[in-house]
């Protein structure tokens, strides 16, 4: 009996360890100038991840944050999947980073508060991104035109 309990416990530990080992960490740089010369960018702006993966925002320049589009974040429209965790890095200094893990499938839209109007936004597509929110939700949301334009481009990339 003791042997069976030990085997079950060991099996459970191995299963948890294996899941953690398979989870990936994706890095997004937060920049004043992107590699293509665009100003105020998340690079890459589109991350394709799986449930359980983590995104690490690496702040290279001052004056930025990264936050999920959600009413709990300064009254922004809800552009993350229903039931997903709401997150906000707060403002970070160069050299700092912020990690957020994702378990809810769908398209997680995010922004930089002071640079949203310049189109400093991105999408973390977790698992089946078609579970939304989709481009229709973005088009109907009260967000700046440059942000909508970049989201159109990112949603087009998701479909390719």
């Amino acid at each position: 009996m003791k042997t069976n309990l030990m085997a079950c416990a060991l099996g459970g530990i191995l299963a948890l360890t294996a899941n953690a080992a398979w989870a990936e960490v994706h890095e997004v740089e937060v920049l004043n100038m992107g590699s293509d010369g665009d100003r105020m960018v998340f690079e890459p702006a589109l991350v394709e991840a799986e449930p359980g993966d983590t995104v690490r925002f690496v702040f290279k320049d001052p004056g930025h944050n990264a936050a999920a589009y959600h009413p709990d974040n300064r009254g922004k429209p809800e552009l993350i999947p229903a039931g997903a965790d709401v997150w906000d890095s707060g403002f970070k200094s160069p050299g700092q980073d912020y990690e957020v893990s994702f378990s809810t499938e769908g398209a997680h839209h995010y922004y930089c508060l002071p640079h949203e109007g310049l189109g400093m936004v991105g999408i973390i597509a977790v698992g089946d991104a078609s579970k939304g929110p989709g481009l229709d939700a973005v088009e109907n949301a009260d967000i700046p035109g440059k942000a909508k334009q970049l989201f159109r481009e990112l949603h087009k990339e998701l479909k390719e």
Side-chain angles (χ1 to χ4, degrees):
M1 179 70 164
K2 227 179 191 183
T3 304
N4 285 344
L5 282 174
M6 289 297 285
C8 286
L10 182 59
I13 291 169
L14 288 174
L16 289 173
T17 304
N19 284 340
W22 289 330
E24 199 171 330
V25 176
H26 307 268
E27 282 201 354
V28 173
E29 291 187 332
V30 185
L31 303 162
N32 286 345
M33 180 79 67
S35 60
D36 60 0
D38 285 345
R39 295 179 49 99
M40 307 305 172
V41 297
F42 293 106
E43 197 167 87
L46 174 62
V47 172
E48 295 186 67
E50 293 300 322
D53 285 0
T54 297
V55 173
R56 177 183 301 128
F57 291 91
V58 180
F59 291 81
K60 299 291 189 174
D61 298 300
H64 298 289
N65 77 317
Y69 269 104
H70 191 275
D72 289 351
N73 282 338
R74 300 169 185 88
K76 295 293 183 182
E78 189 167 357
L79 294 175
I80 61 174
D85 291 335
V86 180
W87 53 273
D88 183 348
S89 68
F91 287 91
K92 300 290 184 193
S93 298
Q96 292 183 308
D97 59 59
Y98 174 79
E99 290 188 355
V100 60
S101 296
F102 295 87
S103 58
T104 306
E105 286 191 303
H108 298 253
H109 300 76
Y110 65 94
Y111 67 100
C112 174
L113 179 63
H115 304 113
E116 177 189 22
L118 298 173
M120 191 169 184
V121 297
I123 298 175
I124 301 162
V126 179
D128 182 1
S130 70
K131 292 186 177 184
L135 189 54
D136 288 345
V138 169
E139 295 292 358
N140 292 321
D142 184 20
I143 61 174
K146 282 194 117 174
K148 281 187 184 183
Q149 181 56 43
L150 183 58
F151 281 140
R152 287 181 194 116
E153 293 170 18
L154 296 176
H155 276 275
K156 184 178 177 183
E157 278 185 50
L158 270 174
K159 290 182 179 179
E160 293 175 353

